[in-house]
Amino acid sequence: YQRRVRGELLLVGSGWSVKARETVNGSYVLTDDNINQVLAEEPRVIIFAYTTWCGHCQAAFPIWTEVASTLNTDPASKTKVFSADIESNKKIHNEWDTTSFPTIYYVRKGERKQFSETRTVDNLLKFIELNEQDPVLEIGDDDLEDAVASSDLAIVGEFADDAIAQWFESLAWNLGYSSYYRLPYTTTSQITVYSQYEGMPRRRVISDLSDTARAEALIKQFRRPYVISFSREAHRMTFEIKERSVSVLLFHDRDGETSAERLDDFGKAARAYHEKATFVEMDMANSYVKMFTNYFSVKASDLPIVFVIDTASKQKDNIAKTKDISESGIAQLIEDFRADTAETSAPQKEAGDELPADWEARPVVYLTKDNFATYVFSGERAVLVMVHRESCPHCKSLRPIWEELAEKYKDHPSLKIAELKSGNVAQIKGLEVTRVPTILFYPMDATGKHDAAVEFEGSRTLAGLEEFIVQQTASRDEL
């Protein structure tokens, strides 16, 4: 039978068949009934997981229709395009733990990868093209030298065990960022990481593959350049080694007259200390980098400048800086920071603000140090509070979702959605917040106790937040 969803005519059946592929908008339908068969028969699929009530899904439908119409009518396309109504298909919803909408999954050999860029036709087609490529290229021994020379980073596997070879292929597809090759079968298994960043060739061999988690950690470590040029695309690589919490950041203008010289000095310091810290170039011409300047209180007149920060430190003053950007100046800053002798400061924090006259009339109730305790601990309502900082990029990303959530609950008699600027925290007795954004649920019976609050740790999406509200209120009958 047919049904129309937000302008899409979708064909819904009990199974996957050639006839079910024909749709008006070109997007095939994925359901609880046909998902197993689809994934078994189709080597590569991309799936648009949506709900009918989601405004972001409605906005993305025309883009998805164009992508689907382009690929599903192209005989050369390796990827089939699907849509899945998560509300009507609880099996997909539950098994895939989809909490934000829309979520776009690329599935290859049963493994999923989420699309995380801006939803445009060009970005989606590039994402699909990238994932259609074989993650590992098979080469002969005679091709190895050319393969290594053609890339700044080449990871080469030799395997006597099919299971390890399949693990390597899966790892290559999930990690990306480099060229992965596989030599013919041998009697032993090993992985060699070749890199030639900054004109410094390196060759690292991982011969013990019995512990694949350890081998993966070593690959992540060995594949990193001494200096990572920060961008939205490089964000994951920058922070993927959790044990490496100290970062050294050079904020500068790469197009400046002396940029080559300062990058050379920064690179020398990185080669000396790369096992102790992550070195990151923050080019101020990059719009993504600019999102982090307020956090470090960086102005154009400060450039160039180097910061050291320990994101795992429990100390509030966890940032040190220097204007001496020579190799020796950077090294001295790192040594002083490690010895706890550097002059440190805390990330920029906003001051507590005054209480506006319409603080309670807004969909997002405005809290400050002056009204927090009386409002949250009144016993008249449950309160979901977002503690944020205006300069925080993650807080900015959450803002439209928070406002949409507040609009949905604005007339609810026993639950209010609120916000609190982080500058107020120090002046509210008993309230402890170590990062932003932090989301806290205060039940009606909190009665003045901050430890009664439950911190939200799920996906910061409208669906994720609503699910959290339901979980917290179900046992208390507060809604």
Side-chain angles (χ1 to χ4, degrees):
Y1 66 92
Q2 297 180 345
R3 64 191 176 100
R4 187 173 295 275
V5 180
R6 301 294 182 183
E8 291 189 288
L9 185 61
L10 307 179
L11 299 183
V12 181
S14 59
W16 172 242
S17 67
V18 174
K19 291 183 179 179
R21 296 185 180 191
E22 300 300 326
T23 66
V24 171
N25 72 340
S27 179
Y28 306 148
V29 180
L30 194 69
T31 68
D32 287 347
D33 293 329
N34 69 14
I35 182 171
N36 290 337
Q37 188 176 357
V38 167
L39 297 184
E41 295 179 2
E42 297 293 344
R44 293 177 175 87
V45 299
I46 189 166
I47 301 162
F48 182 78
Y50 69 94
T51 66
T52 56
W53 49 261
C54 164
H56 299 294
C57 300
Q58 295 176 44
F61 273 137
I63 296 169
W64 195 249
T65 297
E66 185 173 344
V67 171
S69 300
T70 299
L71 295 184
N72 285 349
T73 57
D74 181 2
S77 174
K78 299 177 182 178
T79 303
K80 300 302 182 186
V81 183
F82 286 79
S83 298
D85 179 355
I86 295 300
E87 284 184 305
S88 302
N89 296 280
K90 298 300 183 183
K91 176 183 176 182
I92 299 175
H93 188 183
N94 295 333
E95 290 186 5
W96 288 24
D97 194 27
T98 305
T99 57
S100 65
F101 304 103
T103 295
I104 297 173
Y105 297 103
Y106 194 97
V107 184
R108 173 190 173 276
K109 295 186 177 180
E111 292 189 294
R112 298 192 302 273
K113 183 184 291 185
Q114 284 193 31
F115 174 78
S116 59
E117 300 297 317
T118 304
R119 289 187 293 270
T120 66
V121 172
D122 285 345
N123 283 347
L124 282 163
L125 291 177
K126 288 177 183 176
F127 176 73
I128 292 168
E129 182 182 3
L130 178 65
N131 285 287
E132 283 184 340
Q133 299 172 10
D134 291 329
V136 178
L137 299 179
E138 294 193 13
I139 60 173
D141 292 326
D142 295 339
D143 303 318
L144 178 60
E145 184 176 347
D146 289 341
V148 170
S150 66
S151 175
D152 284 340
L153 180 65
I155 302 176
V156 181
E158 306 171 60
F159 307 107
D161 185 327
D162 279 339
I164 294 295
Q166 291 172 9
W167 163 81
F168 182 67
E169 181 178 333
S170 173
L171 181 72
W173 186 68
N174 280 289
L175 290 184
Y177 297 122
S178 47
S179 299
Y180 294 81
Y181 301 98
R182 176 180 170 182
L183 290 169
Y185 277 101
T186 61
T187 56
T188 59
S189 296
Q190 70 175 28
I191 294 171
T192 307
V193 181
Y194 298 89
S195 65
Q196 42 191 344
Y197 295 122
E198 299 99 13
M200 298 286 293
R202 288 191 292 172
R203 176 179 178 273
R204 309 294 290 270
V205 178
I206 305 170
S207 55
D208 181 4
L209 302 181
S210 59
D211 184 344
T212 54
R214 180 178 180 276
E216 178 179 346
L218 288 172
I219 290 173
K220 287 179 179 179
Q221 177 182 335
F222 295 160
R223 74 180 184 146
R224 291 155 64 93
Y226 289 117
V227 175
I228 299 174
S229 294
F230 194 65
S231 63
R232 186 182 298 275
E233 295 74 24
H235 191 126
R236 177 183 173 187
M237 178 190 282
T238 305
F239 300 107
E240 69 183 356
I241 299 181
K242 296 181 180 179
E243 297 79 10
R244 192 77 57 80
S245 64
V246 175
S247 297
V248 184
L249 304 99
L250 167 64
F251 284 87
H252 77 135
D253 179 2
R254 191 187 297 169
D255 293 332
E257 294 181 1
T258 60
S259 64
E261 181 181 345
R262 80 173 67 102
L263 278 173
D264 184 57
D265 278 349
F266 195 61
K268 290 176 181 176
R271 285 192 286 276
Y273 290 93
H274 72 276
E275 293 185 356
K276 299 179 176 65
T278 297
F279 284 74
V280 188
E281 179 203 8
M282 307 289 281
D283 180 13
M284 293 291 279
N286 187 305
S287 59
Y288 192 64
V289 169
K290 289 180 178 177
M291 296 175 66
F292 295 82
T293 55
N294 286 340
Y295 186 82
F296 291 92
S297 302
V298 177
K299 302 183 293 293
S301 58
D302 296 325
L303 304 180
I305 189 170
V306 170
F307 289 87
V308 179
I309 181 171
D310 184 356
T311 54
S313 173
K314 295 182 179 180
Q315 301 295 325
K316 292 183 178 180
D317 296 339
N318 64 341
I319 297 178
K321 62 184 177 181
T322 183
K323 289 284 289 179
D324 183 353
I325 57 171
S326 64
E327 179 187 357
S328 60
I330 297 169
Q332 187 64 57
L333 176 67
I334 295 170
E335 291 293 345
D336 291 345
F337 188 81
R338 295 180 66 207
D340 290 330
T341 58
E343 182 179 344
T344 57
S345 62
Q348 178 181 332
K349 293 186 178 181
E350 295 157 337
D353 48 345
E354 298 300 320
L355 188 64
D358 64 341
W359 66 271
E360 196 173 9
R362 307 177 182 190
V364 179
V365 176
Y366 199 94
L367 300 178
T368 71
K369 62 185 184 301
D370 298 318
N371 67 339
F372 184 90
T374 55
Y375 190 79
V376 169
F377 297 133
S378 68
E380 298 175 4
R381 63 190 72 82
V383 184
L384 189 66
V385 184
M386 173 180 69
V387 183
H388 68 100
R389 185 178 60 248
E390 293 292 341
S391 60
C392 163
H394 302 297
C395 302
K396 290 178 182 177
S397 299
L398 179 58
R399 167 61 64 179
I401 297 171
W402 199 251
E403 291 177 349
E404 187 176 354
L405 181 72
E407 187 66 31
K408 189 167 185 177
Y409 284 91
K410 68 179 181 180
D411 296 324
H412 202 285
S414 57
L415 174 69
K416 298 299 178 184
I417 310 300
E419 65 173 304
L420 177 73
K421 287 187 177 180
S422 60
N424 292 281
V425 170
Q427 301 173 68
I428 300 175
K429 186 177 180 181
L431 179 59
E432 295 184 5
V433 174
T434 58
R435 65 182 185 275
V436 290
T438 288
I439 297 172
L440 299 170
F441 177 84
Y442 285 89
M444 283 189 190
D445 58 358
T447 60
K449 297 178 181 178
H450 286 286
D451 58 5
V454 179
E455 183 173 353
F456 172 73
E457 296 180 346
S459 174
R460 291 195 290 261
T461 62
L462 184 63
L465 289 163
E466 288 192 288
E467 184 177 350
F468 176 70
I469 290 172
V470 171
Q471 290 172 348
Q472 295 306 315
T473 56
S475 61
R476 300 184 176 96
D477 297 325
E478 290 182 356
L479 293 187

